[in-house]
Amino acid sequence: MHYRRVYIEGGRYFFTVVTEKRRKIFSEDDNVKRLRAAFKTVMQKRPFVIDAAVVLPDHLHFIWTLPEYDSDYSTRWRLIKSAFTKQYPDKFIVQNANRKKKKQQELWQHRGWEHCLRDERDFQQHIDYIHYNPVKHGLVKRATDWQHSSIHRYIKSGMLDKNWGEGAMDFADDIGYE
């Protein structure tokens, strides 16, 4: 399969990253802490801005803005996944022959989904999608009830009302399914 990735210096991107076999590894707070530590480590050497984020039990959604003269989100994700995996205490029995040969854990699905955000409207719609995602998956009734979300930062800064996302929300068919 040939994937065509869009690399734009200083670009804004929406990402979906999924755990292998949809394992719910981020149900445990210690694993969320390990993920944050992995991000912090990578961001020190390869900075970028996290505009929005949600960490769900079996997948992640992020929006990043890359530095003005940098388009390399792939290396950042590789380093984040690697740093997290090295700190992850449980090791899975590796079934996949290619992964065995490369001595890789079966922790992350190969590849992720990315979408280069086209404009402010696209950016805002994906932020809303990220913040509403725990409700969409039936994990909480209100977006603000999900602990591992940037919605709390948006409310604290006054960008969103504390009751945002309490009702049903509809998204365009192309939002979140990249």
Side-chain angles (χ1 to χ4, degrees):
M1 192 124 195
H2 297 285
Y3 291 92
R4 202 175 324 159
R5 303 270 190 216
V6 175
Y7 293 96
I8 297 174
E9 293 178 346
R12 278 185 176 159
Y13 295 89
F14 167 83
F15 300 100
T16 301
V17 177
V18 182
T19 61
E20 182 68 22
K21 298 179 183 172
R22 289 274 183 176
R23 290 185 182 105
K24 298 185 183 316
I25 62 175
F26 297 110
S27 294
E28 297 177 33
D29 283 339
D30 284 346
N31 289 332
V32 176
K33 289 176 187 170
R34 287 181 185 95
L35 182 66
R36 284 189 176 128
F39 266 86
K40 186 176 180 181
T41 298
V42 172
M43 290 175 82
Q44 288 172 349
K45 294 181 181 174
R46 294 179 174 264
F48 59 95
V49 174
I50 298 174
D51 298 295
V54 66
V55 177
L56 300 169
D58 61 357
H59 69 285
L60 321 166
H61 292 295
F62 279 83
I63 294 176
W64 295 356
T65 299
L66 296 178
E68 187 176 349
Y69 297 105
D70 191 343
S71 63
D72 190 7
Y73 57 81
S74 297
T75 297
R76 286 172 171 85
W77 273 117
R78 180 178 53 77
L79 293 170
I80 289 165
K81 288 177 174 181
S82 178
F84 175 83
T85 301
K86 287 176 184 173
Q87 297 304 314
Y88 189 70
D90 301 325
K91 304 300 178 203
F92 299 107
I93 296 171
V94 179
Q95 304 289 333
N96 181 290
N98 284 336
R99 287 191 183 214
K100 273 185 184 179
K101 185 174 151 183
K102 294 177 184 177
K103 298 181 181 173
Q104 293 177 337
Q105 278 290 306
E106 289 187 335
L107 200 55
W108 302 99
Q109 273 188 8
H110 278 295
R111 307 206 189 328
W113 293 273
E114 95 282 334
H115 166 70
C116 185
L117 299 169
R118 298 177 297 270
D119 53 31
E120 284 300 315
R121 183 173 182 269
D122 196 23
F123 177 63
Q124 188 57 54
Q125 287 176 330
H126 280 82
I127 289 172
D128 290 347
Y129 179 82
I130 284 172
H131 290 156
Y132 194 72
N133 212 250
V135 178
K136 175 189 170 210
H137 288 286
L139 299 169
V140 292
K141 292 192 189 279
R142 300 175 327 146
T144 55
D145 291 340
W146 191 253
Q147 178 183 359
H148 307 299
S149 171
S150 58
I151 192 169
H152 304 289
R153 178 173 36 121
Y154 277 69
I155 291 169
K156 189 175 181 179
S157 71
M159 294 169 66
L160 287 178
D161 180 83
K162 66 180 180 172
N163 298 319
W164 183 92
E166 287 187 3
M169 293 184 75
D170 290 321
F171 295 92
D173 290 341
D174 62 339
I175 302 295
Y177 296 100
E178 287 78 14

